[in-house]
Amino acid sequence: MDFIKDKNMKSELFSAGLIVGVGRFLSQMISSLRIVCVAWILAPDSVGVFGFAAGIMTLVQVCSETGMRSALIQRKGDVSEYISTVWVGQIFRGIMIALLILSTAPLFAAFYERPELKRILFALAFVPIIQGFENVGLILQERDLRFGRIVIIDFLVSAIDLATTLSIALIYPTPFALVAGQLVRAIFRVLAGFFAERRRPAFKFDWIKFKSLYAYGFWIFFSTIIGFVLIRGSDFYIGKKLGFTELGVFQVAYTLACVPLVQLMTIVNRVTFPALSRLQTDKASYANAFGKLFWATNLLVCATVIFFSLTADVITKYLFSDKYSEIAELLPVLAIWGGCRALGGMNSGALNAFGVPKYSVVFQLVMTAVLMILIVPLTNYFGIMGAAYSLAIAGIVGQLSRYSLIHQVLGVSYRQLFRIVFVPILLATTILVGTDSMITLLPDGDFVIRSIVSTMTALASFFLAMCFLDRYFQYDVIASTMEQAKARLMVFRSAAT
């Protein structure tokens, strides 16, 4: 964090990152537990039907995305007078989403020849209506890097979703258990939001304020639509071509491999977006900040990919039934796609904070074009593995195509881009190849022990090498983070005594 000259801001960023990181980790643990438990209780077909219905709901939500929340965070000065306008627009948007879902549900059910899909969509239509009443005032806390209450809400919401879903699934093992979890989750988030933030919106709308925010939010809206096609577009083809059983397996593997990496991207963007927005007038400082943040993000992304590549067989064998055996092959490939998403999200977040969200759309258009070209032939030939291959290839092509624009817009040198992007990736690839060769030389023994030893060896080697490179390239991100951690620990100890 040496790019932040203000020591108070540096400490503030570290504290915010620590709070959001711990909160996201706990929420992710709950979500992972939910995935595993649901996979044991429900058949892949039921998981696939619900996942598809949730995808349709997300599609409608994406198509009505206004980008107002991001616009509020990015806007300079006091934005408290805008929250009522954004809140009313959010309520109206939720009602429109529900009406669209209700009107299109019969069409989707008929096209996929699954009558229960209509009933699930009818039930899910209430979710966006409820979500529309969430307290927009919480954005002011996020804007000021005060994430404590937001993280607590996220954790409690995940826990309540887990308890509701599993309780109903054990009694009524159908996709409606997952629907109930979503409904209870939405209701609790609305109530918690008004309890956690005293600055509450009023039911009034200012068209002038709305238009001033929409000028920025339009590109967020456009980017979100394209992002949905990349994230969930393959589900529509898999569901029709291969069926909902295969789709259920694919979605479970997708969630396990990609969600941790997406959560990482969310943590980084959520914490740094307000801080980077303050540096947008100083291009040199902004480029320096981007380089160090990307370096740190890439370190964690590559470590996650190493982990899933070496533990996929163990995860599948001991956490899932035989119905989900294909997850072992899917995890390493989807982890590559998840890594590309995380790095791409870091790029997009930096461009958005710089005030040029339209450029992030270009990256997504490239990946979308590649995905649309590959998804049909590869899925037809390789099945769900083909869908995973198409996503991974689209992600790699997107990575290779984006950095020329990053150089031009943000002023990051090609030398620095090579260091922060490709050096960690090449290092991780080398370690994975070396570890794979090492496994073949190890004596036969317990399958789990061999996997644990190889994974820990690979991760330790990667981390030590990155520590050396971090100091050699004079980024000192790891050292700075350790210093902040020690300082924070001293504060906690002093407070305890």
Side-chain angles (χ1 to χ4, degrees):
M1 296 184 186
D2 294 334
F3 57 88
I4 303 292
K5 297 179 181 179
D6 188 335
K7 292 184 178 180
N8 292 329
M9 172 61 70
K10 185 186 295 187
S11 178
E12 191 178 0
L13 271 178
F14 182 82
S15 298
L18 180 63
I19 292 172
V20 175
V22 171
R24 285 285 179 173
F25 174 77
L26 294 175
S27 297
Q28 178 57 42
M29 291 298 293
I30 293 176
S31 298
S32 300
L33 178 61
R34 174 177 172 270
I35 294 167
V36 174
C37 292
V38 166
W40 276 102
I41 298 172
L42 301 181
D45 182 77
S46 295
V47 176
V49 171
F50 170 79
F52 184 81
I56 294 174
M57 182 183 73
T58 305
L59 171 62
V60 179
Q61 288 178 320
V62 162
C63 291
S64 60
E65 176 60 55
T66 60
M68 295 296 165
R69 288 174 171 264
S70 297
L72 278 180
I73 296 175
Q74 198 273 342
R75 180 172 288 267
K76 299 178 180 179
D78 184 20
V79 297
S80 56
E81 61 181 10
Y82 288 85
I83 63 174
S84 294
T85 296
V86 174
W87 186 63
V88 173
Q90 182 177 275
I91 293 173
F92 178 75
R93 171 177 174 263
I95 295 172
M96 293 302 298
I97 289 172
L99 293 175
L100 283 171
I101 292 174
L102 292 172
S103 62
T104 57
L107 300 177
F108 281 107
F111 181 75
Y112 286 93
E113 300 178 351
R114 298 298 295 261
E116 70 272 28
L117 191 58
K118 181 174 70 174
R119 297 192 296 272
I120 294 173
L121 284 170
F122 280 175
L124 283 175
F126 289 97
V127 174
I129 295 178
I130 299 169
Q131 290 174 335
F133 288 89
E134 289 183 10
N135 186 5
V136 181
L138 283 174
I139 295 177
L140 301 179
Q141 294 188 18
E142 183 173 341
R143 191 171 185 266
D144 296 334
L145 298 176
R146 294 184 291 112
F147 291 97
R149 294 180 180 179
I150 297 174
V151 166
I152 292 174
I153 292 175
D154 289 343
F155 173 74
L156 292 177
V157 162
S158 298
I160 289 174
D161 183 5
L162 171 67
T164 303
T165 300
L166 295 186
S167 298
I168 297 178
L170 289 171
I171 301 171
Y172 189 56
T174 69
F176 284 96
L178 294 163
V179 174
Q182 291 294 307
L183 288 169
V184 173
R185 179 190 189 100
I187 292 171
F188 181 82
R189 183 176 285 279
V190 171
L191 297 175
F194 281 97
F195 179 78
E197 174 55 54
R198 295 182 178 180
R199 293 171 291 185
R200 298 165 183 172
F203 200 83
K204 59 182 180 180
F205 185 83
D206 188 321
W207 180 250
I208 296 177
K209 289 185 175 64
F210 181 84
K211 287 199 300 183
S212 68
L213 292 174
Y214 188 74
Y216 175 90
F218 170 77
W219 290 106
I220 302 296
F221 153 74
F222 194 28
S223 175
T224 305
I225 289 181
I226 300 173
F228 173 84
V229 175
L230 284 169
I231 298 168
R232 302 300 296 269
S234 57
D235 291 359
F236 290 87
Y237 186 73
I238 294 173
K240 183 62 178 177
K241 178 66 179 179
L242 304 179
F244 286 97
T245 298
E246 291 287 88
L247 177 59
V249 174
F250 183 83
Q251 287 180 334
V252 171
Y254 189 104
T255 303
L256 280 176
C258 296
V259 169
L261 290 162
V262 174
Q263 292 285 9
L264 169 63
M265 174 193 72
T266 303
I267 292 170
V268 174
N269 282 342
R270 196 171 188 179
V271 173
T272 61
F273 184 77
L276 286 176
S277 295
R278 303 176 192 179
L279 296 175
Q280 58 186 290
T281 55
D282 186 349
K283 194 171 183 178
S285 296
Y286 199 96
N288 183 40
F290 170 81
K292 293 190 175 185
L293 288 171
F294 196 96
W295 171 260
T297 303
N298 204 2
L299 185 157
L300 297 174
V301 166
C302 290
T304 305
V305 174
I306 290 174
F307 174 80
F308 279 116
S309 298
L310 296 175
T311 61
D313 291 333
V314 175
I315 291 173
T316 305
K317 182 177 180 179
Y318 289 97
L319 295 184
F320 297 96
S321 65
D322 293 338
K323 297 176 183 178
Y324 293 89
S325 59
E326 292 174 286
I327 289 178
E329 296 181 359
L330 288 168
L331 277 179
V333 180
L334 290 175
I336 295 174
W337 161 243
C340 292
R341 275 190 63 194
L343 297 180
M346 178 65 207
N347 286 325
S348 296
L351 290 169
N352 294 344
F354 197 65
V356 286
K358 61 182 179 180
Y359 290 118
S360 64
V361 175
V362 176
F363 304 148
Q364 293 177 317
L365 283 173
V366 172
M367 290 190 291
T368 302
V370 175
L371 179 63
M372 292 299 98
I373 293 172
L374 296 178
I375 185 69
V376 173
L378 290 184
T379 302
N380 289 346
Y381 189 80
F382 295 104
I384 54 175
M385 282 303 302
Y389 292 145
S390 63
L391 285 169
I393 294 172
I396 292 171
V397 172
Q399 285 297 306
L400 294 175
S401 63
R402 74 181 65 231
Y403 295 106
S404 176
L405 189 57
I406 290 291
H407 167 71
Q408 296 176 26
V409 176
L410 301 184
V412 184
S413 68
Y414 283 118
R415 181 181 181 183
Q416 185 177 10
L417 284 172
F418 178 80
R419 287 178 173 180
I420 64 177
V421 178
F422 296 105
V423 168
I425 293 174
L426 292 173
L427 176 62
T429 303
T430 303
I431 289 175
L432 273 176
V433 172
T435 304
D436 187 61
S437 301
M438 180 191 73
I439 292 176
T440 60
L441 299 176
L442 290 176
D444 293 336
D446 185 83
F447 170 66
V448 177
I449 294 178
R450 284 164 57 92
S451 298
I452 292 175
V453 170
S454 60
T455 302
M456 295 301 294
T457 301
L459 289 175
S461 301
F462 178 74
F463 181 74
L464 290 174
M466 287 296 291
C467 286
F468 170 77
L469 292 173
D470 184 59
R471 181 61 62 89
Y472 180 77
F473 292 145
Q474 297 182 349
Y475 291 133
D476 293 328
V477 172
I478 297 175
S480 177
T481 302
M482 295 299 292
E483 289 177 5
Q484 288 292 326
K486 290 179 181 178
R488 188 58 51 186
L489 181 60
M490 293 296 294
V491 172
F492 288 152
R493 286 179 176 176
S494 299
T497 55

